[in-house]
Amino acid sequence: MTPTEMHIEHLKNKIAAQVRHPFLAKFIADPVIDEDKLAILTSIMDHTTLSSVKKEKYIVTTMLVQIALDTHDLVTLSEDEEEQETVRTRQLTVLAGDYYSGLYYYVLSQLNDIPMIRTLAGAIKEINELKMELYYKDVSSFQEFLGSLKKIESLLIQRVATYVQRTTINDMAGDWLLAKKLLEEKNSYQEGRFSPVMDLLVKRPGSFESGGQLVFNIEQLLQKHISNLETTVSKLPIHFNWLKNYFDSTIYHKFYKTHIVEEG
């Protein structure tokens, strides 16, 4: 394990310890820590002149915000009558999202860093507005839909990168996070699990595609997208070598290896 990988594992454990709550753990699953976003954030912070304490605080608080946003997304939008147990789970999931949101304010308050709080709060507001548009307003084209989804997935990290004046990998990060989201949603849909993005595309009035055609189109899109992304990653400056190797490995395991298994 490289020093950077050890550092990321340390950060992951620290974040997990922050979000662990004994009462919530009895009723809902532990939140998922997005390792790709954690790796991107760590790489961004590693190329700043901030103190090690500040770097760690910024990474942890940004990931707490991401976990809060992701947790709120787990609450289904169905208005059907539900069993009491399901209702309680939904209520606790909302509560958990709010709890994780509060944690980042607490961590940042220890740094007395009002500008960073404003940066994160502004990103949260913007992401929630984008989600409202994506889920409740008409989108004129599939490309417009993808553009909005890409912003939702990458805007938080890009705002933080802009704040610390390290935006070199912003575009590449956005491209990867969109591809990753599409791959995860496609796999969930094909396996019959909850897939809000795919469900939205298939079920909304004036749907762009049927389910089968949509899966095929996304697979075609992913192949082209990943190929372009590999070219972009190969051109990263030498001081991003660790991130380059990380992306190469992740692309192989999450995309190519999956396709080899499926085709085999």
Side-chain angles (χ1 to χ4, degrees):
M1 188 178 284
T2 68
T4 303
E5 288 169 336
M6 291 175 64
H7 182 47
I8 288 175
E9 191 64 24
H10 162 74
L11 289 167
K12 188 177 177 182
N13 291 334
K14 191 158 190 173
I15 294 163
Q18 287 268 12
V19 298
R20 192 171 294 120
H21 190 289
F23 174 74
L24 293 172
K26 292 179 182 178
F27 302 101
I28 61 175
D30 289 338
V32 175
I33 299 171
D34 191 318
E35 293 187 14
D36 288 351
K37 291 180 180 177
L38 179 56
I40 293 168
L41 276 171
T42 301
S43 187
I44 290 169
M45 292 301 166
D46 280 349
H47 294 92
T48 69
T49 57
L50 297 169
S51 69
S52 57
V53 171
K54 232 176 190 183
K55 287 177 184 178
E56 185 167 295
K57 292 287 187 184
Y58 282 1
I59 294 168
V60 170
T61 51
T62 303
M63 290 305 299
L64 288 174
V65 171
Q66 186 64 63
I67 289 169
L69 290 167
D70 292 344
T71 300
H72 281 142
D73 283 348
L74 295 175
V75 181
T76 60
L77 303 176
S78 171
E79 295 180 355
D80 298 336
E81 291 186 8
E82 300 169 278
E83 295 179 2
Q84 185 175 352
E85 188 69 22
T86 305
V87 172
R88 181 170 67 173
T89 300
R90 287 183 59 183
Q91 291 171 338
L92 285 169
T93 302
V94 173
L95 178 63
D98 293 340
Y99 171 68
Y100 304 144
S101 296
L103 284 175
Y104 91 82
Y105 283 111
Y106 171 71
V107 175
L108 275 184
S109 69
Q110 296 175 311
L111 273 180
N112 192 28
D113 200 328
I114 301 302
M116 184 58 167
I117 292 176
R118 286 176 178 160
T119 296
L120 294 175
I124 293 169
K125 177 178 179 292
E126 209 170 332
I127 289 168
N128 285 331
E129 287 172 350
L130 286 165
K131 286 179 179 178
M132 290 293 288
E133 291 179 2
L134 194 68
Y135 284 96
Y136 297 109
K137 291 185 179 180
D138 291 333
V139 181
S140 60
S141 69
F142 186 50
Q143 288 304 315
E144 184 183 344
F145 183 92
L146 291 178
S148 295
L149 187 61
K150 179 178 177 179
K151 286 181 182 178
I152 289 169
E153 288 301 305
S154 59
L155 190 142
L156 179 63
I157 286 177
Q158 290 176 345
R159 288 288 182 273
V160 172
T162 300
Y163 178 73
V164 298
Q165 299 180 346
R166 292 294 183 274
T167 59
T168 304
I169 61 172
N170 267 6
D171 290 340
M172 187 205 67
D175 288 339
W176 168 245
L177 294 174
L178 173 62
K180 175 190 168 187
K181 181 67 173 178
L182 288 174
L183 185 61
E184 290 172 347
E185 290 285 322
K186 178 187 76 72
N187 290 342
S188 292
Y189 181 77
Q190 289 181 301
E191 294 165 12
R193 294 183 284 114
F194 179 54
S195 173
V197 170
M198 294 293 288
D199 286 349
L200 179 65
L201 285 170
V202 172
K203 295 177 181 177
R204 70 186 302 156
S207 174
F208 304 123
E209 314 282 356
S210 65
Q213 184 63 41
L214 183 61
V215 168
F216 175 78
N217 287 348
I218 286 179
E219 286 176 344
Q220 296 295 108
L221 175 70
L222 278 170
Q223 288 182 23
K224 182 178 179 181
H225 199 73
I226 292 294
S227 177
N228 292 338
L229 187 60
E230 285 179 308
T231 301
T232 304
V233 170
S234 70
K235 295 177 180 176
L236 281 175
I238 192 168
H239 53 277
F240 281 108
N241 263 359
W242 179 85
L243 189 64
K244 177 182 179 297
N245 292 333
Y246 175 87
F247 272 119
D248 285 341
S249 174
T250 305
I251 287 170
Y252 171 74
H253 285 96
K254 290 190 177 180
F255 185 75
Y256 290 118
K257 193 173 181 180
T258 303
H259 275 63
I260 291 170
V261 172
E262 287 175 351
E263 291 171 4

